[in-house]
């Protein structure tokens, strides 16, 4: 990893300081938002209907971000919102 960091091919970022050592629902939401905000395109493998990832997908699509997901019936909610099925 160190080689990739030194050559500028890997960037590790975190919205948390070192005191955050456990993943909670709140920290996972914040992590997902930070990653989605800096990404050009977001892939969501699955999001529960009415769940937090579905809500995030809707917000990203509203902001004209490209959102992709698996083109399966379980993801019909995301595709109907505008996610690209692949």
């Amino acid at each position: 990893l160190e080689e990739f960091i030194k050559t500028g091919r890997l960037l590790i970022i975190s919205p948390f300081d070192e005191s955050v050592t456990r993943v909670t629902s709140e920290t996972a939401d914040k992590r997902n938002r930070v990653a989605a905000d800096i990404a050009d395109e977001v892939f969501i493998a699955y999001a529960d209907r009415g769940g937090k990832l579905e809500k995030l997908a809707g917000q990203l699509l509203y902001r004209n971000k490209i959102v992709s997901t698996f083109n399966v019936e379980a993801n019909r909610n995301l595709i109907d919102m505008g996610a690209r099925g692949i």
Side-chain angles (χ1 to χ4, degrees):
L1 287 178
E2 198 170 309
E3 174 189 335
F4 293 113
I5 293 170
K6 286 180 181 177
T7 59
R9 298 184 327 183
L10 176 65
L11 173 66
I12 298 174
I13 62 168
S14 176
F16 311 108
D17 62 33
E18 53 277 347
S19 68
V20 178
T21 59
R22 302 187 127 238
V23 177
T24 65
S25 178
E26 183 179 293
T27 59
D29 288 344
K30 187 170 184 177
R31 176 206 57 216
N32 290 343
R33 289 185 184 288
V34 167
D37 283 343
I38 64 173
D40 294 325
E41 182 173 345
V42 176
F43 178 83
I44 299 175
Y46 173 77
D48 281 327
R49 189 173 302 278
K52 291 178 182 180
L53 277 178
E54 183 189 64
K55 182 178 177 181
L56 176 60
Q59 292 167 347
L60 295 171
L61 289 163
Y62 179 78
R63 292 176 19 220
N64 295 315
K65 286 269 190 173
I66 298 169
V67 177
S68 300
T69 190
F70 290 123
N71 190 12
V72 295
E73 190 57 35
N75 289 330
R76 180 63 35 212
N77 56 328
L78 295 174
I79 294 167
D80 287 348
M81 292 170 62
R84 182 176 60 185
I86 57 172

PDB file of all heavy atoms in Angstrom, residues 47-83:
ATOM      1  N   ALA A  47     -30.259  -1.882  -2.474  1.00  0.00           N
ATOM      2  CA  ALA A  47     -30.768  -0.947  -1.468  1.00  0.00           C
ATOM      3  C   ALA A  47     -32.201  -1.334  -1.130  1.00  0.00           C
ATOM      4  O   ALA A  47     -33.035  -1.473  -2.026  1.00  0.00           O
ATOM      5  CB  ALA A  47     -30.714   0.489  -1.984  1.00  0.00           C
ATOM      6  N   ASP A  48     -32.469  -1.520   0.153  1.00  0.00           N
ATOM      7  CA  ASP A  48     -33.836  -1.828   0.588  1.00  0.00           C
ATOM      8  C   ASP A  48     -34.783  -0.714   0.180  1.00  0.00           C
ATOM      9  O   ASP A  48     -34.437   0.475   0.269  1.00  0.00           O
ATOM     10  CB  ASP A  48     -33.898  -1.951   2.120  1.00  0.00           C
ATOM     11  CG  ASP A  48     -33.388  -3.275   2.631  1.00  0.00           C
ATOM     12  OD1 ASP A  48     -33.561  -4.291   1.922  1.00  0.00           O
ATOM     13  OD2 ASP A  48     -32.809  -3.294   3.729  1.00  0.00           O
ATOM     14  N   ARG A  49     -35.976  -1.102  -0.230  1.00  0.00           N
ATOM     15  CA  ARG A  49     -37.017  -0.118  -0.522  1.00  0.00           C
ATOM     16  C   ARG A  49     -37.309   0.669   0.756  1.00  0.00           C
ATOM     17  O   ARG A  49     -37.562   0.108   1.806  1.00  0.00           O
ATOM     18  CB  ARG A  49     -38.279  -0.830  -1.006  1.00  0.00           C
ATOM     19  CG  ARG A  49     -39.336   0.085  -1.544  1.00  0.00           C
ATOM     20  CD  ARG A  49     -40.486  -0.694  -2.166  1.00  0.00           C
ATOM     21  NE  ARG A  49     -40.055  -1.577  -3.249  1.00  0.00           N
ATOM     22  CZ  ARG A  49     -39.846  -1.197  -4.513  1.00  0.00           C
ATOM     23  NH1 ARG A  49     -40.002   0.070  -4.839  1.00  0.00           N
ATOM     24  NH2 ARG A  49     -39.467  -2.066  -5.420  1.00  0.00           N
ATOM     25  N   GLY A  50     -37.172   1.983   0.680  1.00  0.00           N
ATOM     26  CA  GLY A  50     -37.408   2.837   1.834  1.00  0.00           C
ATOM     27  C   GLY A  50     -36.222   2.958   2.776  1.00  0.00           C
ATOM     28  O   GLY A  50     -36.301   3.636   3.797  1.00  0.00           O
ATOM     29  N   GLY A  51     -35.103   2.309   2.436  1.00  0.00           N
ATOM     30  CA  GLY A  51     -33.936   2.312   3.305  1.00  0.00           C
ATOM     31  C   GLY A  51     -33.015   3.501   3.067  1.00  0.00           C
ATOM     32  O   GLY A  51     -33.237   4.336   2.185  1.00  0.00           O
ATOM     33  N   LYS A  52     -31.965   3.548   3.860  1.00  0.00           N
ATOM     34  CA  LYS A  52     -31.037   4.679   3.814  1.00  0.00           C
ATOM     35  C   LYS A  52     -30.273   4.762   2.496  1.00  0.00           C
ATOM     36  O   LYS A  52     -30.046   5.856   1.986  1.00  0.00           O
ATOM     37  CB  LYS A  52     -30.063   4.603   4.985  1.00  0.00           C
ATOM     38  CG  LYS A  52     -30.735   4.846   6.318  1.00  0.00           C
ATOM     39  CD  LYS A  52     -29.767   4.709   7.457  1.00  0.00           C
ATOM     40  CE  LYS A  52     -30.495   4.911   8.776  1.00  0.00           C
ATOM     41  NZ  LYS A  52     -29.577   4.782   9.912  1.00  0.00           N
ATOM     42  N   LEU A  53     -29.864   3.613   1.946  1.00  0.00           N
ATOM     43  CA  LEU A  53     -29.153   3.655   0.670  1.00  0.00           C
ATOM     44  C   LEU A  53     -30.080   4.072  -0.472  1.00  0.00           C
ATOM     45  O   LEU A  53     -29.651   4.766  -1.384  1.00  0.00           O
ATOM     46  CB  LEU A  53     -28.504   2.310   0.352  1.00  0.00           C
ATOM     47  CG  LEU A  53     -27.153   2.061   0.993  1.00  0.00           C
ATOM     48  CD1 LEU A  53     -26.642   0.665   0.635  1.00  0.00           C
ATOM     49  CD2 LEU A  53     -26.141   3.104   0.574  1.00  0.00           C
ATOM     50  N   GLU A  54     -31.321   3.667  -0.416  1.00  0.00           N
ATOM     51  CA  GLU A  54     -32.273   4.113  -1.431  1.00  0.00           C
ATOM     52  C   GLU A  54     -32.440   5.637  -1.346  1.00  0.00           C
ATOM     53  O   GLU A  54     -32.451   6.326  -2.375  1.00  0.00           O
ATOM     54  CB  GLU A  54     -33.628   3.431  -1.265  1.00  0.00           C
ATOM     55  CG  GLU A  54     -34.616   3.833  -2.358  1.00  0.00           C
ATOM     56  CD  GLU A  54     -36.008   3.336  -2.086  1.00  0.00           C
ATOM     57  OE1 GLU A  54     -36.607   3.782  -1.079  1.00  0.00           O
ATOM     58  OE2 GLU A  54     -36.503   2.523  -2.877  1.00  0.00           O
ATOM     59  N   LYS A  55     -32.533   6.150  -0.153  1.00  0.00           N
ATOM     60  CA  LYS A  55     -32.648   7.597   0.035  1.00  0.00           C
ATOM     61  C   LYS A  55     -31.406   8.306  -0.501  1.00  0.00           C
ATOM     62  O   LYS A  55     -31.510   9.325  -1.198  1.00  0.00           O
ATOM     63  CB  LYS A  55     -32.841   7.919   1.517  1.00  0.00           C
ATOM     64  CG  LYS A  55     -33.009   9.391   1.792  1.00  0.00           C
ATOM     65  CD  LYS A  55     -33.236   9.656   3.278  1.00  0.00           C
ATOM     66  CE  LYS A  55     -33.338  11.150   3.536  1.00  0.00           C
ATOM     67  NZ  LYS A  55     -33.525  11.445   4.950  1.00  0.00           N
ATOM     68  N   LEU A  56     -30.218   7.775  -0.196  1.00  0.00           N
ATOM     69  CA  LEU A  56     -28.984   8.355  -0.697  1.00  0.00           C
ATOM     70  C   LEU A  56     -28.963   8.316  -2.225  1.00  0.00           C
ATOM     71  O   LEU A  56     -28.591   9.299  -2.869  1.00  0.00           O
ATOM     72  CB  LEU A  56     -27.766   7.619  -0.131  1.00  0.00           C
ATOM     73  CG  LEU A  56     -26.402   8.064  -0.645  1.00  0.00           C
ATOM     74  CD1 LEU A  56     -26.145   9.548  -0.339  1.00  0.00           C
ATOM     75  CD2 LEU A  56     -25.301   7.200  -0.059  1.00  0.00           C
ATOM     76  N   ALA A  57     -29.374   7.202  -2.808  1.00  0.00           N
ATOM     77  CA  ALA A  57     -29.422   7.095  -4.274  1.00  0.00           C
ATOM     78  C   ALA A  57     -30.317   8.179  -4.857  1.00  0.00           C
ATOM     79  O   ALA A  57     -29.970   8.824  -5.851  1.00  0.00           O
ATOM     80  CB  ALA A  57     -29.911   5.712  -4.691  1.00  0.00           C
ATOM     81  N   GLY A  58     -31.477   8.395  -4.249  1.00  0.00           N
ATOM     82  CA  GLY A  58     -32.386   9.436  -4.722  1.00  0.00           C
ATOM     83  C   GLY A  58     -31.754  10.816  -4.657  1.00  0.00           C
ATOM     84  O   GLY A  58     -31.892  11.620  -5.583  1.00  0.00           O
ATOM     85  N   GLN A  59     -31.041  11.090  -3.589  1.00  0.00           N
ATOM     86  CA  GLN A  59     -30.371  12.388  -3.446  1.00  0.00           C
ATOM     87  C   GLN A  59     -29.276  12.559  -4.494  1.00  0.00           C
ATOM     88  O   GLN A  59     -29.112  13.638  -5.072  1.00  0.00           O
ATOM     89  CB  GLN A  59     -29.794  12.528  -2.032  1.00  0.00           C
ATOM     90  CG  GLN A  59     -30.857  12.631  -0.969  1.00  0.00           C
ATOM     91  CD  GLN A  59     -30.303  12.457   0.437  1.00  0.00           C
ATOM     92  OE1 GLN A  59     -29.173  12.021   0.629  1.00  0.00           O
ATOM     93  NE2 GLN A  59     -31.117  12.798   1.430  1.00  0.00           N
ATOM     94  N   LEU A  60     -28.543  11.493  -4.758  1.00  0.00           N
ATOM     95  CA  LEU A  60     -27.483  11.556  -5.758  1.00  0.00           C
ATOM     96  C   LEU A  60     -28.060  11.760  -7.154  1.00  0.00           C
ATOM     97  O   LEU A  60     -27.548  12.567  -7.936  1.00  0.00           O
ATOM     98  CB  LEU A  60     -26.633  10.281  -5.709  1.00  0.00           C
ATOM     99  CG  LEU A  60     -25.848  10.063  -4.425  1.00  0.00           C
ATOM    100  CD1 LEU A  60     -25.225   8.668  -4.417  1.00  0.00           C
ATOM    101  CD2 LEU A  60     -24.788  11.130  -4.249  1.00  0.00           C
ATOM    102  N   LEU A  61     -29.115  11.034  -7.462  1.00  0.00           N
ATOM    103  CA  LEU A  61     -29.756  11.183  -8.768  1.00  0.00           C
ATOM    104  C   LEU A  61     -30.319  12.588  -8.931  1.00  0.00           C
ATOM    105  O   LEU A  61     -30.227  13.178 -10.015  1.00  0.00           O
ATOM    106  CB  LEU A  61     -30.846  10.125  -8.944  1.00  0.00           C
ATOM    107  CG  LEU A  61     -30.316   8.698  -9.127  1.00  0.00           C
ATOM    108  CD1 LEU A  61     -31.413   7.682  -8.877  1.00  0.00           C
ATOM    109  CD2 LEU A  61     -29.709   8.533 -10.512  1.00  0.00           C
ATOM    110  N   TYR A  62     -30.871  13.141  -7.883  1.00  0.00           N
ATOM    111  CA  TYR A  62     -31.396  14.512  -7.920  1.00  0.00           C
ATOM    112  C   TYR A  62     -30.287  15.502  -8.252  1.00  0.00           C
ATOM    113  O   TYR A  62     -30.511  16.514  -8.913  1.00  0.00           O
ATOM    114  CB  TYR A  62     -32.054  14.842  -6.574  1.00  0.00           C
ATOM    115  CG  TYR A  62     -32.597  16.245  -6.493  1.00  0.00           C
ATOM    116  CD1 TYR A  62     -33.811  16.560  -7.093  1.00  0.00           C
ATOM    117  CD2 TYR A  62     -31.893  17.247  -5.829  1.00  0.00           C
ATOM    118  CE1 TYR A  62     -34.323  17.863  -7.037  1.00  0.00           C
ATOM    119  CE2 TYR A  62     -32.391  18.540  -5.769  1.00  0.00           C
ATOM    120  CZ  TYR A  62     -33.604  18.840  -6.366  1.00  0.00           C
ATOM    121  OH  TYR A  62     -34.095  20.129  -6.310  1.00  0.00           O
ATOM    122  N   ARG A  63     -29.077  15.202  -7.782  1.00  0.00           N
ATOM    123  CA  ARG A  63     -27.913  16.069  -8.034  1.00  0.00           C
ATOM    124  C   ARG A  63     -27.205  15.693  -9.336  1.00  0.00           C
ATOM    125  O   ARG A  63     -26.087  16.112  -9.591  1.00  0.00           O
ATOM    126  CB  ARG A  63     -26.941  15.995  -6.863  1.00  0.00           C
ATOM    127  CG  ARG A  63     -27.527  16.627  -5.608  1.00  0.00           C
ATOM    128  CD  ARG A  63     -26.665  16.525  -4.362  1.00  0.00           C
ATOM    129  NE  ARG A  63     -25.281  16.242  -4.555  1.00  0.00           N
ATOM    130  CZ  ARG A  63     -24.572  15.415  -3.776  1.00  0.00           C
ATOM    131  NH1 ARG A  63     -25.139  14.813  -2.757  1.00  0.00           N
ATOM    132  NH2 ARG A  63     -23.300  15.210  -4.001  1.00  0.00           N
ATOM    133  N   ASN A  64     -27.853  14.857 -10.150  1.00  0.00           N
ATOM    134  CA  ASN A  64     -27.337  14.431 -11.461  1.00  0.00           C
ATOM    135  C   ASN A  64     -26.070  13.595 -11.391  1.00  0.00           C
ATOM    136  O   ASN A  64     -25.267  13.589 -12.321  1.00  0.00           O
ATOM    137  CB  ASN A  64     -27.141  15.629 -12.395  1.00  0.00           C
ATOM    138  CG  ASN A  64     -28.454  16.284 -12.738  1.00  0.00           C
ATOM    139  OD1 ASN A  64     -29.421  15.601 -13.054  1.00  0.00           O
ATOM    140  ND2 ASN A  64     -28.496  17.593 -12.645  1.00  0.00           N
ATOM    141  N   LYS A  65     -25.875  12.887 -10.287  1.00  0.00           N
ATOM    142  CA  LYS A  65     -24.783  11.921 -10.202  1.00  0.00           C
ATOM    143  C   LYS A  65     -25.218  10.667 -10.964  1.00  0.00           C
ATOM    144  O   LYS A  65     -26.404  10.336 -11.011  1.00  0.00           O
ATOM    145  CB  LYS A  65     -24.495  11.520  -8.755  1.00  0.00           C
ATOM    146  CG  LYS A  65     -23.803  12.565  -7.941  1.00  0.00           C
ATOM    147  CD  LYS A  65     -22.307  12.407  -8.021  1.00  0.00           C
ATOM    148  CE  LYS A  65     -21.641  13.306  -6.995  1.00  0.00           C
ATOM    149  NZ  LYS A  65     -20.220  13.070  -6.911  1.00  0.00           N
ATOM    150  N   ILE A  66     -24.255   9.963 -11.526  1.00  0.00           N
ATOM    151  CA  ILE A  66     -24.542   8.689 -12.175  1.00  0.00           C
ATOM    152  C   ILE A  66     -24.598   7.618 -11.093  1.00  0.00           C
ATOM    153  O   ILE A  66     -23.645   7.452 -10.331  1.00  0.00           O
ATOM    154  CB  ILE A  66     -23.471   8.338 -13.214  1.00  0.00           C
ATOM    155  CG1 ILE A  66     -23.438   9.404 -14.313  1.00  0.00           C
ATOM    156  CG2 ILE A  66     -23.723   6.954 -13.806  1.00  0.00           C
ATOM    157  CD1 ILE A  66     -22.233   9.280 -15.222  1.00  0.00           C
ATOM    158  N   VAL A  67     -25.720   6.918 -11.023  1.00  0.00           N
ATOM    159  CA  VAL A  67     -25.893   5.829 -10.066  1.00  0.00           C
ATOM    160  C   VAL A  67     -26.182   4.569 -10.868  1.00  0.00           C
ATOM    161  O   VAL A  67     -27.066   4.561 -11.727  1.00  0.00           O
ATOM    162  CB  VAL A  67     -27.041   6.109  -9.071  1.00  0.00           C
ATOM    163  CG1 VAL A  67     -27.235   4.923  -8.127  1.00  0.00           C
ATOM    164  CG2 VAL A  67     -26.772   7.382  -8.278  1.00  0.00           C
ATOM    165  N   SER A  68     -25.431   3.510 -10.603  1.00  0.00           N
ATOM    166  CA  SER A  68     -25.614   2.230 -11.275  1.00  0.00           C
ATOM    167  C   SER A  68     -25.932   1.167 -10.251  1.00  0.00           C
ATOM    168  O   SER A  68     -25.571   1.290  -9.075  1.00  0.00           O
ATOM    169  CB  SER A  68     -24.352   1.833 -12.045  1.00  0.00           C
ATOM    170  OG  SER A  68     -24.029   2.795 -13.012  1.00  0.00           O
ATOM    171  N   THR A  69     -26.593   0.120 -10.715  1.00  0.00           N
ATOM    172  CA  THR A  69     -26.929  -1.010  -9.854  1.00  0.00           C
ATOM    173  C   THR A  69     -27.067  -2.249 -10.724  1.00  0.00           C
ATOM    174  O   THR A  69     -27.097  -2.162 -11.955  1.00  0.00           O
ATOM    175  CB  THR A  69     -28.224  -0.741  -9.065  1.00  0.00           C
ATOM    176  OG1 THR A  69     -28.381  -1.757  -8.069  1.00  0.00           O
ATOM    177  CG2 THR A  69     -29.448  -0.727  -9.960  1.00  0.00           C
ATOM    178  N   PHE A  70     -27.159  -3.407 -10.100  1.00  0.00           N
ATOM    179  CA  PHE A  70     -27.410  -4.623 -10.858  1.00  0.00           C
ATOM    180  C   PHE A  70     -28.822  -4.566 -11.439  1.00  0.00           C
ATOM    181  O   PHE A  70     -29.766  -4.169 -10.756  1.00  0.00           O
ATOM    182  CB  PHE A  70     -27.284  -5.862  -9.962  1.00  0.00           C
ATOM    183  CG  PHE A  70     -25.885  -6.151  -9.524  1.00  0.00           C
ATOM    184  CD1 PHE A  70     -25.578  -6.221  -8.184  1.00  0.00           C
ATOM    185  CD2 PHE A  70     -24.873  -6.359 -10.456  1.00  0.00           C
ATOM    186  CE1 PHE A  70     -24.286  -6.510  -7.764  1.00  0.00           C
ATOM    187  CE2 PHE A  70     -23.572  -6.637 -10.052  1.00  0.00           C
ATOM    188  CZ  PHE A  70     -23.282  -6.715  -8.697  1.00  0.00           C
ATOM    189  N   ASN A  71     -28.957  -4.978 -12.689  1.00  0.00           N
ATOM    190  CA  ASN A  71     -30.251  -4.970 -13.362  1.00  0.00           C
ATOM    191  C   ASN A  71     -31.013  -6.253 -13.014  1.00  0.00           C
ATOM    192  O   ASN A  71     -31.108  -7.177 -13.816  1.00  0.00           O
ATOM    193  CB  ASN A  71     -30.060  -4.841 -14.876  1.00  0.00           C
ATOM    194  CG  ASN A  71     -31.366  -4.587 -15.591  1.00  0.00           C
ATOM    195  OD1 ASN A  71     -32.375  -4.285 -14.971  1.00  0.00           O
ATOM    196  ND2 ASN A  71     -31.351  -4.733 -16.898  1.00  0.00           N
ATOM    197  N   VAL A  72     -31.517  -6.288 -11.790  1.00  0.00           N
ATOM    198  CA  VAL A  72     -32.303  -7.422 -11.307  1.00  0.00           C
ATOM    199  C   VAL A  72     -33.569  -6.879 -10.644  1.00  0.00           C
ATOM    200  O   VAL A  72     -33.638  -5.720 -10.252  1.00  0.00           O
ATOM    201  CB  VAL A  72     -31.505  -8.294 -10.298  1.00  0.00           C
ATOM    202  CG1 VAL A  72     -30.308  -8.957 -10.992  1.00  0.00           C
ATOM    203  CG2 VAL A  72     -31.054  -7.487  -9.100  1.00  0.00           C
ATOM    204  N   GLU A  73     -34.566  -7.726 -10.555  1.00  0.00           N
ATOM    205  CA  GLU A  73     -35.860  -7.283 -10.012  1.00  0.00           C
ATOM    206  C   GLU A  73     -35.732  -6.724  -8.596  1.00  0.00           C
ATOM    207  O   GLU A  73     -36.456  -5.800  -8.224  1.00  0.00           O
ATOM    208  CB  GLU A  73     -36.869  -8.435 -10.039  1.00  0.00           C
ATOM    209  CG  GLU A  73     -38.281  -8.011  -9.728  1.00  0.00           C
ATOM    210  CD  GLU A  73     -38.811  -6.914 -10.657  1.00  0.00           C
ATOM    211  OE1 GLU A  73     -38.483  -6.895 -11.853  1.00  0.00           O
ATOM    212  OE2 GLU A  73     -39.586  -6.066 -10.160  1.00  0.00           O
ATOM    213  N   ALA A  74     -34.817  -7.252  -7.800  1.00  0.00           N
ATOM    214  CA  ALA A  74     -34.638  -6.771  -6.424  1.00  0.00           C
ATOM    215  C   ALA A  74     -34.217  -5.304  -6.387  1.00  0.00           C
ATOM    216  O   ALA A  74     -34.391  -4.641  -5.367  1.00  0.00           O
ATOM    217  CB  ALA A  74     -33.614  -7.630  -5.693  1.00  0.00           C
ATOM    218  N   ASN A  75     -33.680  -4.799  -7.490  1.00  0.00           N
ATOM    219  CA  ASN A  75     -33.249  -3.397  -7.559  1.00  0.00           C
ATOM    220  C   ASN A  75     -34.200  -2.532  -8.384  1.00  0.00           C
ATOM    221  O   ASN A  75     -33.849  -1.421  -8.778  1.00  0.00           O
ATOM    222  CB  ASN A  75     -31.837  -3.298  -8.134  1.00  0.00           C
ATOM    223  CG  ASN A  75     -30.802  -3.802  -7.170  1.00  0.00           C
ATOM    224  OD1 ASN A  75     -30.975  -3.711  -5.959  1.00  0.00           O
ATOM    225  ND2 ASN A  75     -29.718  -4.352  -7.685  1.00  0.00           N
ATOM    226  N   ARG A  76     -35.395  -3.028  -8.639  1.00  0.00           N
ATOM    227  CA  ARG A  76     -36.368  -2.280  -9.432  1.00  0.00           C
ATOM    228  C   ARG A  76     -36.595  -0.896  -8.827  1.00  0.00           C
ATOM    229  O   ARG A  76     -36.769   0.086  -9.543  1.00  0.00           O
ATOM    230  CB  ARG A  76     -37.680  -3.062  -9.502  1.00  0.00           C
ATOM    231  CG  ARG A  76     -38.784  -2.417 -10.281  1.00  0.00           C
ATOM    232  CD  ARG A  76     -38.551  -2.188 -11.774  1.00  0.00           C
ATOM    233  NE  ARG A  76     -37.767  -3.218 -12.412  1.00  0.00           N
ATOM    234  CZ  ARG A  76     -36.942  -2.999 -13.447  1.00  0.00           C
ATOM    235  NH1 ARG A  76     -36.797  -1.796 -13.945  1.00  0.00           N
ATOM    236  NH2 ARG A  76     -36.266  -3.983 -13.980  1.00  0.00           N
ATOM    237  N   ASN A  77     -36.575  -0.780  -7.496  1.00  0.00           N
ATOM    238  CA  ASN A  77     -36.779   0.519  -6.857  1.00  0.00           C
ATOM    239  C   ASN A  77     -35.709   1.523  -7.285  1.00  0.00           C
ATOM    240  O   ASN A  77     -36.021   2.686  -7.578  1.00  0.00           O
ATOM    241  CB  ASN A  77     -36.814   0.387  -5.330  1.00  0.00           C
ATOM    242  CG  ASN A  77     -35.568  -0.265  -4.744  1.00  0.00           C
ATOM    243  OD1 ASN A  77     -34.937  -1.131  -5.365  1.00  0.00           O
ATOM    244  ND2 ASN A  77     -35.214   0.107  -3.529  1.00  0.00           N
ATOM    245  N   LEU A  78     -34.458   1.097  -7.353  1.00  0.00           N
ATOM    246  CA  LEU A  78     -33.380   1.989  -7.766  1.00  0.00           C
ATOM    247  C   LEU A  78     -33.486   2.336  -9.246  1.00  0.00           C
ATOM    248  O   LEU A  78     -33.307   3.491  -9.643  1.00  0.00           O
ATOM    249  CB  LEU A  78     -32.015   1.361  -7.475  1.00  0.00           C
ATOM    250  CG  LEU A  78     -31.675   1.129  -6.007  1.00  0.00           C
ATOM    251  CD1 LEU A  78     -30.357   0.379  -5.892  1.00  0.00           C
ATOM    252  CD2 LEU A  78     -31.623   2.445  -5.253  1.00  0.00           C
ATOM    253  N   ILE A  79     -33.769   1.337 -10.056  1.00  0.00           N
ATOM    254  CA  ILE A  79     -33.875   1.562 -11.500  1.00  0.00           C
ATOM    255  C   ILE A  79     -35.042   2.492 -11.804  1.00  0.00           C
ATOM    256  O   ILE A  79     -34.928   3.402 -12.639  1.00  0.00           O
ATOM    257  CB  ILE A  79     -33.992   0.214 -12.230  1.00  0.00           C
ATOM    258  CG1 ILE A  79     -32.681  -0.577 -12.058  1.00  0.00           C
ATOM    259  CG2 ILE A  79     -34.324   0.417 -13.706  1.00  0.00           C
ATOM    260  CD1 ILE A  79     -32.754  -2.033 -12.450  1.00  0.00           C
ATOM    261  N   ASP A  80     -36.157   2.303 -11.113  1.00  0.00           N
ATOM    262  CA  ASP A  80     -37.318   3.182 -11.328  1.00  0.00           C
ATOM    263  C   ASP A  80     -37.012   4.619 -10.917  1.00  0.00           C
ATOM    264  O   ASP A  80     -37.615   5.560 -11.456  1.00  0.00           O
ATOM    265  CB  ASP A  80     -38.532   2.670 -10.542  1.00  0.00           C
ATOM    266  CG  ASP A  80     -39.137   1.408 -11.161  1.00  0.00           C
ATOM    267  OD1 ASP A  80     -38.770   1.071 -12.307  1.00  0.00           O
ATOM    268  OD2 ASP A  80     -39.954   0.767 -10.480  1.00  0.00           O
ATOM    269  N   MET A  81     -36.078   4.796 -10.002  1.00  0.00           N
ATOM    270  CA  MET A  81     -35.678   6.161  -9.584  1.00  0.00           C
ATOM    271  C   MET A  81     -34.748   6.814 -10.596  1.00  0.00           C
ATOM    272  O   MET A  81     -34.544   8.022 -10.560  1.00  0.00           O
ATOM    273  CB  MET A  81     -34.960   6.099  -8.230  1.00  0.00           C
ATOM    274  CG  MET A  81     -35.832   5.700  -7.069  1.00  0.00           C
ATOM    275  SD  MET A  81     -34.859   5.367  -5.566  1.00  0.00           S
ATOM    276  CE  MET A  81     -34.105   6.950  -5.283  1.00  0.00           C
ATOM    277  N   GLY A  82     -34.143   5.996 -11.470  1.00  0.00           N
ATOM    278  CA  GLY A  82     -33.238   6.550 -12.471  1.00  0.00           C
ATOM    279  C   GLY A  82     -31.856   5.947 -12.481  1.00  0.00           C
ATOM    280  O   GLY A  82     -31.006   6.351 -13.266  1.00  0.00           O
ATOM    281  N   ALA A  83     -31.602   4.978 -11.586  1.00  0.00           N
ATOM    282  CA  ALA A  83     -30.300   4.308 -11.593  1.00  0.00           C
ATOM    283  C   ALA A  83     -30.166   3.481 -12.866  1.00  0.00           C
ATOM    284  O   ALA A  83     -31.149   2.960 -13.392  1.00  0.00           O
ATOM    285  CB  ALA A  83     -30.146   3.419 -10.358  1.00  0.00           C
TER     286      ALA A  83
END
